[in-house]
Amino acid sequence: MAQTRLIDPFQRPITYLRLSVTDRCDFRCTYCMAENMTFLPKKELLTLEELDRVSTAFIGLGVRKLRITGGEPLVRRDIMDFFRGMSRHLESGALDELTLTTNGSQLERFAGDLAAAGVKRINISLDTLDDDKFREITRRGDLAQVLRGIDAAQEAGIRVKINAVALNHFNDSELFSITEWCASRDMDLTWIEVMPMGDIGNENRLDQYWPLTGVRAQYESRFTVTPLAERSGGPARYVRLEETGQKIGFITPLTHNFCESCNRVRLTCTGELYMCLGQEDRADLRQPLRDHPEDDAPLVAAIREAITHKPKGHDFDYSRQRLDGQMPRHMSHTGG
Ligand code: SAM
Ligand code: SF4
């Protein structure tokens, strides 16, 4: 039976679920993780069957877009089984889009399977085109492997968007080369402001923080930059570089509030539902999943109850040179 869809207290329909399928990753990006991360015991993670059940419940409640993330989603064992399972919701028309955010390291292996499961677009995170800097920022990644992954995705007919975190004294010097590279490969590009998520060891976030006003100013030094009215339902705002026609996205959680149109919730790999990336309030969905393996009614009731707490907005703030609103959890936990 069709369920009434999810509407939060501010009349925002919840149509987008971001699902983290693992906290593990083959990289240790300096802004995301500490060098020595302790990962969760496997039994804490939702099983593939539980991931399927909970995603299916959300889709039954009106979620139309499902983004798989992590950690690195493609290092989760047998994750292709999950993607193949979700393709039934694309085929039935219940789901509009099945997508993922990935570091690209495993794409050479999986791009064909993802395309076969109905994935049409993916976001690939890549912050530099320099081999040495890539190894430095990811602490263990191989740029050539990621580039082969991008080739494989494009060959499989998947549209690629590059997400680059704007990092002061790191990729500020590569702004134009990354932009030109994306244009030459017909890939969209979005810059993300670094966010205060989780302890990252010795790295200093204020050193890393390059506000996107600075990114934009650099574009304006070379191009005519026209803001576009277009919104994707998410936090990104877009501009067009008039001389090339290229569209560039900016995700500016810290310099621009985007919460008024927020349509999303996030589920961690342990089944905690976060109603807002920048708030600690969460609801446990693992218990209703595990306590009632044959009955989804308690799960659906827990989801509905959680949505009644979705806050109006987040609390991040870098002003006064300190990290107000710093979140104790890592982005890899909640899923970026
Ligand atoms: N491993 C996958 C990847 O890197 O694409 C998916 C998970 S990752 C947590 C998702 C996105 O979050 C990536 O684009 C990454 O650059 C971004 N990210 C991680 N930590 C961040 C932070 N502290 N501030 C802003 N973006 C961050
Ligand atoms: Fe891994 Fe993605 Fe975090 Fe980098 S940003 S450490 S690739 S989860």
Side-chain angles (χ1 to χ4, degrees):
M1 195 184 73
Q3 304 258 8
T4 48
R5 54 195 198 126
L6 299 170
I7 310 272
D8 83 355
F10 303 95
Q11 300 308 310
R12 296 170 297 194
I14 305 305
T15 54
Y16 182 6
L17 175 66
R18 295 172 79 108
L19 175 64
S20 172
V21 295
T22 179
D23 63 330
R24 289 177 163 68
C25 187
D26 49 344
F27 293 0
R28 297 285 183 281
C29 300
T30 57
Y31 48 79
C32 179
M33 292 190 182
E35 169 94 67
N36 299 312
M37 289 288 287
T38 310
F39 294 111
L40 294 164
K42 293 243 167 66
K43 66 175 186 333
E44 302 267 318
L45 302 194
L46 297 187
T47 63
L48 292 178
E49 293 71 26
E50 288 166 341
L51 290 170
D52 187 307
R53 252 183 89 198
V54 74
S55 302
T56 301
F58 272 101
I59 293 165
L61 290 166
V63 159
R64 308 283 316 174
K65 175 170 173 177
L66 180 61
R67 177 177 298 280
I68 309 307
T69 178
E72 173 47 42
L74 298 181
V75 303
R76 170 96 194 231
R77 185 195 287 258
D78 295 332
I79 194 64
M80 267 331 118
D81 293 345
F82 172 78
F83 277 98
R84 274 188 285 274
M86 285 300 105
S87 66
R88 71 186 185 276
H89 298 302
L90 291 170
E91 282 156 19
S92 76
L95 189 63
D96 292 332
E97 187 170 15
L98 173 63
T99 185
L100 72 154
T101 300
T102 173
N103 65 25
S105 69
Q106 309 302 312
L107 270 178
E108 197 176 10
R109 194 152 52 114
F110 290 132
D113 292 341
L114 288 168
V119 172
K120 296 204 161 27
R121 301 190 300 174
I122 52 176
N123 289 355
I124 300 180
S125 308
L126 187 137
D127 307 319
T128 175
L129 289 171
D130 178 287
D131 290 313
D132 295 335
K133 282 165 73 178
F134 190 81
R135 195 165 293 282
E136 179 195 331
I137 197 79
T138 61
R139 293 201 184 101
R140 54 192 68 182
D142 175 9
L143 178 63
Q145 186 181 340
V146 171
L147 296 180
R148 288 197 304 274
I150 294 175
D151 289 343
Q154 291 194 312
E155 276 158 26
I158 298 176
R159 183 141 184 95
V160 173
K161 176 161 83 81
I162 299 295
N163 281 342
V165 176
L167 297 163
N168 210 6
H169 312 304
F170 183 76
N171 56 13
D172 41 354
S173 54
E174 289 187 77
L175 178 107
F176 293 122
S177 52
I178 292 175
T179 304
E180 279 157 24
W181 173 73
C182 287
S184 72
R185 301 200 51 145
D186 190 26
M187 301 184 296
D188 291 329
L189 170 63
T190 291
W191 292 95
I192 307 177
E193 235 166 34
V194 75
M195 287 182 262
M197 304 290 295
D199 176 18
I200 51 169
N202 297 328
E203 302 290 329
N204 180 334
R205 288 196 190 279
L206 282 172
D207 283 353
Q208 294 179 333
Y209 180 48
W210 182 26
L212 294 191
T213 45
V215 178
R216 190 168 162 158
Q218 224 190 96
Y219 278 126
E220 282 168 347
S221 72
R222 190 176 291 188
F223 299 108
T224 312
V225 176
T226 309
L228 300 175
E230 166 185 341
R231 298 298 303 271
S232 59
R237 309 244 162 193
Y238 297 93
V239 300
R240 188 171 50 235
L241 309 181
E242 291 300 344
E243 286 76 1
T244 66
Q246 202 173 350
K247 195 178 79 173
I248 308 286
F250 293 107
I251 298 185
T252 55
L254 303 164
T255 52
H256 197 111
N257 209 306
F258 54 81
C259 304
E260 68 281 358
S261 60
C262 183
N263 61 353
R264 63 196 58 196
V265 288
R266 295 176 155 82
L267 189 66
T268 69
C269 54
T270 57
E272 290 172 315
L273 183 67
Y274 281 89
M275 275 58 77
C276 173
L277 182 62
Q279 301 272 1
E280 272 300 275
D281 185 33
R282 59 191 179 267
D284 175 29
L285 300 186
R286 190 176 59 187
Q287 194 172 355
L289 271 166
R290 292 201 174 159
D291 287 355
H292 304 276
E294 306 292 334
D295 178 11
D296 282 347
L299 172 65
V300 167
I303 295 172
R304 286 196 182 286
E305 209 279 322
I307 298 301
T308 67
H309 309 170
K310 186 165 162 65
K312 196 164 180 201
H314 65 65
D315 290 335
F316 292 136
D317 185 5
Y318 274 135
S319 62
R320 296 179 308 237
Q321 299 300 297
R322 60 193 185 87
L323 299 182
D324 285 356
Q326 163 110 22
M327 288 290 106
R329 61 187 194 272
H330 289 96
M331 192 76 124
S332 53
H333 180 67
T334 330

